[in-house]
Amino acid sequence: MSTTESTAIDRALALPSLSAAFVAKALDAPDAPALRAFGTDEVLTWRAWHDRGVAVAGGLESLGIERGDRVGILLGTRVEFNIVDIGALLLGAIPFSLYVTSAVEQLREIVDNAAPRVLFTDASLVEKAREVAAGSTVERIVVVEATAAQDGELSLADLEARSPADFDVSAAVAATTREDIGTLVYTSGTTGPPKGVQFRHGGMMDCLDSIRQRFDTGAEDRAIAYLPMAHIAERIFGHYAAFVYGYEVTSLADLTKLGPALHAVRPTRFFGVPRIYEKLIAGIHRFVSESPDREALEAAWQRRLVVVREGGSWMAADDRDAADLETLKPLAALTGLEQAHFLAVAGAPSSLGMLEEITALGLPINEFYGSSEAIIVSCSPPDDIRLGTAGKPLAGAVFELGEDGEVLITGPTITPGYFRDPERTAEAFDADGRFLTGDVGQLDDDGYLSIVDRKKALIINSGGKNMSPANIEQAIKGGQPLLSQVFAIGDRRPYNVALVVLDRDGLAVFARSAGLDPDEDFAVLSQRPEVRDAVQAAVDAGNEKLARVEQIKRFAILDHDWLPGGPQLTPTNKVKRREVAEQYAATASDLYA
């Protein structure tokens, strides 16, 4: 990174808001490419991005949107998201993103809390947007494509055209302070309705500053935005960091094309959830198995794994190790990440074996730690990556361990609380103002954090999606008399499965209605095809209430029930989640086989 680039980043980080940093970058390098849309010739320079953002800001003002008003965005990962989001930020409004795969019911809960006056969407999602907006605070739907807008709605071009010629963007940006809320990030509803995590402009800037202090960055960097922008990490690396650090982002709307995009872009900075890296490694193993150089590649990879497991890094330890890395270069290139000097993984627990295999290829993968409420607060220094740990606190973050080992965090990036939810805000912090992560950790003598358990009952799948098992289970079980318990499984897995426990009385009632013998042995009756069909119908009905990522894909009906005070339930009928997961590990494995 040149001295000029470093100075420009320093100047940006000294500004009070994300919007001010964006304007500074656009003025500094107006003709440099800023945004690309993969698979198209679409390129926006910093000047073009700035001008369209200003037009959106002016258009929103013409609709009566004011500082602090919320603006909802129901869009996939596409260039228009970046345009709309920065437009709202330039005005001083509070944009927030919605997961496009969420059920209408879930989106309505969020909209009821955020109370946006405008909702942005596109042609593929406009019907869902209309359902969500009906009866809410939304006054206007803005659709990206003009052909999809109905009477009373605006196209994005219509909105931009409404911007008055004398709209004073400079005054709007100057009025935004570090303490102003820049966005809301909604959790997955682990304890009731989703919570709107508030983030200050200053907190986001401090997060980017702390990452920059640990890693080099510059305008020559390239990144790919491919995760939903409702994901806090993608919002950071695929949006905010672009205009604070000044690098170029390629937007990928179709995740199935990530492989070709990686090879086309050859990103120098890349963030992924564990599942993304798992897929890359699986592809490499398949390539090796089919390669005429299989023996040489496998031998070099195994030797590198030994070096890594003995404490070696992604760099060569000696001449022999350097030769093995040279042999493995084609494998690193297969990932499309061989030019990356910044490889981050977070959002879910990572497999140590996966981290070791990637590191052995000469790729510097680094596990980051954070949450919706804390953004990113730790990772390993790039010259001392310790696999299997969450690294050391970033600048400003302070970790302490509670009496039960819970990780407690203070620092400038921590949320000031949940939007319009003082009760749950109070529950998220202890008496000393420390954020309660729900994670049980250990700190070694060098200050490296390891997460060893979770207090909170959460499913975090291999794609990094946080889900409430209780919400999923309740959606399936509902008022079904046939079902006694539904136990959702999906932690570190690509999709969710479930154990189903039948209610003895409910089963007897069903048996009679289905022409079966209600007095038949429970173990036999529970496995009848008619019973399975009824359970499948209940699962299908429950899945309709859930986002696609939350839905149950497979299930196993147990041939026994669970009794209060027994191995699976407490005396008050609460499920012993850890014990159940251990007792039925083989059944769960069969469901994923």
Side-chain angles (χ1 to χ4, degrees):
M1 178 172 58
S2 70
T3 303
T4 302
E5 288 175 345
S6 179
T7 302
I9 296 172
D10 289 337
R11 286 198 303 268
L13 289 168
L15 294 168
S17 68
L18 293 163
S19 45
F22 173 79
V23 171
K25 174 60 188 178
L27 294 175
D28 180 61
D31 298 321
L35 298 174
R36 296 181 186 273
F38 179 72
T40 75
D41 295 328
E42 183 179 2
V43 181
L44 259 65
T45 63
W46 288 101
R47 187 199 309 275
W49 187 7
H50 171 272
D51 290 350
R52 291 198 64 184
V54 170
V56 168
L60 287 172
E61 186 182 62
S62 77
L63 294 177
I65 304 303
E66 301 176 347
R67 293 177 50 73
D69 283 345
R70 277 74 62 201
V71 173
I73 306 176
L74 182 64
L75 287 173
T77 306
R78 52 186 297 172
V79 167
E80 285 80 8
F81 174 91
N82 304 77
I83 294 169
V84 167
D85 189 87
I86 196 60
L89 286 173
L90 290 171
L91 183 61
I94 303 174
F96 67 94
S97 182
L98 297 154
Y99 282 105
V100 301
T101 56
S102 292
V104 169
E105 211 171 289
Q106 295 170 314
L107 295 176
R108 279 180 176 152
E109 288 184 325
I110 293 173
V111 166
D112 286 345
N113 176 256
R117 296 177 58 195
V118 173
L119 179 61
F120 286 88
T121 190
D122 63 21
S124 67
L125 297 162
V126 69
E127 290 300 332
K128 178 181 280 190
R130 289 168 185 148
E131 286 189 67
V132 171
S136 75
T137 58
V138 174
E139 300 167 6
R140 194 70 67 105
I141 290 176
V142 180
V143 192
V144 169
E145 302 88 350
T147 54
Q150 294 182 351
D151 290 345
E153 299 171 350
L154 293 173
S155 70
L156 183 55
D158 291 336
L159 179 75
E160 293 178 53
R162 291 176 63 104
S163 181
D166 60 351
F167 173 65
D168 191 351
V169 68
S170 298
V173 171
T176 303
T177 72
R178 284 179 56 86
E179 298 307 311
D180 286 334
I181 301 301
T183 192
L184 305 176
V185 175
Y186 277 87
T187 65
S188 301
T190 56
T191 52
K195 295 173 284 192
V197 184
Q198 302 177 95
F199 281 114
R200 300 174 300 109
H201 278 265
M204 289 293 188
M205 296 294 283
D206 287 339
C207 176
L208 292 165
D209 192 10
S210 67
I211 295 171
R212 194 276 181 114
Q213 290 181 42
R214 191 160 289 185
F215 298 92
D216 288 335
T217 190
E220 74 284 354
D221 277 326
R222 303 178 301 279
I224 298 176
Y226 66 97
L227 294 170
M229 284 296 181
H231 193 296
I232 184 60
E234 189 64 274
R235 188 82 65 82
I236 287 284
F237 295 123
H239 186 47
Y240 300 148
F243 49 79
V244 174
Y245 299 157
Y247 59 68
E248 179 184 306
V249 172
T250 296
S251 187
L252 177 65
D254 183 355
L255 183 56
T256 64
K257 297 180 180 176
L258 180 59
L262 287 169
H263 285 88
V265 176
R266 302 287 174 179
T268 60
R269 300 175 68 86
F270 184 76
F271 169 84
V273 294
R275 184 61 182 158
I276 296 298
Y277 291 105
E278 289 167 2
K279 287 182 177 179
L280 291 175
I281 284 293
I284 292 172
H285 278 294
R286 178 176 178 179
F287 174 84
V288 170
S289 70
E290 298 172 352
S291 171
D293 299 322
R294 174 181 174 179
E295 290 186 9
L297 291 170
E298 287 181 343
W301 205 354
Q302 287 302 313
R303 286 192 294 268
R304 280 287 296 149
L305 279 169
V306 171
V307 171
V308 169
R309 287 166 181 162
E310 290 177 349
S313 76
W314 57 279
M315 297 179 288
D318 52 36
D319 290 345
R320 174 58 185 271
D321 200 33
D324 284 336
L325 273 175
E326 189 66 27
T327 300
L328 296 172
K329 270 188 175 180
L331 302 188
L334 274 177
T335 67
L337 296 171
E338 78 280 9
Q339 295 183 29
H341 59 82
F342 177 96
L343 279 180
V345 59
S350 294
S351 159
L352 179 58
M354 178 269 288
L355 297 173
E356 290 171 339
E357 287 194 306
I358 290 175
T359 301
L361 294 177
L363 301 174
I365 193 165
N366 198 324
E367 194 163 8
F368 282 50
Y369 175 66
S371 69
S372 294
E373 293 86 352
I375 321 182
I376 297 164
V377 286
S378 76
C379 63
S380 290
D383 58 350
D384 192 9
I385 298 175
R386 301 192 187 179
L387 300 180
T389 78
K392 303 173 75 170
L394 292 168
V398 177
F399 293 167
E400 298 175 79
L401 300 181
E403 291 183 3
D404 57 358
E406 182 174 9
V407 181
L408 312 174
I409 309 176
T410 54
T413 69
I414 306 297
T415 178
Y418 303 118
F419 187 63
R420 296 170 58 188
D421 200 341
E423 185 175 327
R424 290 198 289 180
T425 294
E427 294 171 355
F429 296 87
D430 69 6
D432 297 318
R434 299 175 297 187
F435 173 64
L436 305 170
T437 65
D439 294 319
V440 177
Q442 296 174 346
L443 287 166
D444 67 18
D445 293 340
D446 296 322
Y448 281 76
L449 174 69
S450 296
I451 303 300
V452 298
D453 202 354
R454 279 202 305 278
K455 290 178 64 175
K456 298 177 181 177
L458 279 179
I459 288 174
I460 305 180
N461 71 7
S462 61
K465 174 67 174 176
N466 288 19
M467 293 169 276
S468 164
N471 286 358
I472 294 169
E473 291 155 4
Q474 187 55 38
I476 302 297
K477 190 166 71 169
Q480 296 282 345
L482 180 61
L483 309 182
S484 171
Q485 299 285 346
V486 175
F487 185 87
I489 300 167
D491 207 38
R492 309 189 190 201
R493 304 281 197 166
Y495 54 85
N496 294 336
V497 299
L499 305 176
V500 174
V501 181
L502 301 179
D503 182 89
R504 284 185 176 270
D505 292 333
L507 180 59
V509 171
F510 172 79
R512 292 188 186 94
S513 67
L516 302 174
D517 179 5
D519 296 321
E520 188 174 34
D521 180 75
F522 183 92
V524 177
L525 183 57
S526 66
Q527 304 305 306
R528 293 292 184 192
E530 295 90 341
V531 174
R532 182 170 186 84
D533 290 345
V535 172
Q536 182 68 66
V539 170
D540 291 344
N543 280 341
E544 289 293 321
K545 306 171 189 175
L546 298 168
R548 189 165 62 244
V549 71
E550 296 174 305
Q551 293 173 358
I552 298 298
K553 307 300 183 191
R554 296 180 181 176
F555 60 88
I557 302 173
L558 303 185
D559 62 2
H560 54 278
D561 59 355
W562 296 349
L563 301 176
Q568 300 89 13
L569 303 178
T570 69
T572 56
N573 227 36
K574 294 179 181 177
V575 177
K576 301 175 183 177
R577 301 202 70 87
R578 186 182 304 176
E579 290 85 346
V580 168
E582 292 172 355
Q583 292 166 29
Y584 296 92
T587 304
S589 295
D590 290 342
L591 288 171
Y592 286 104

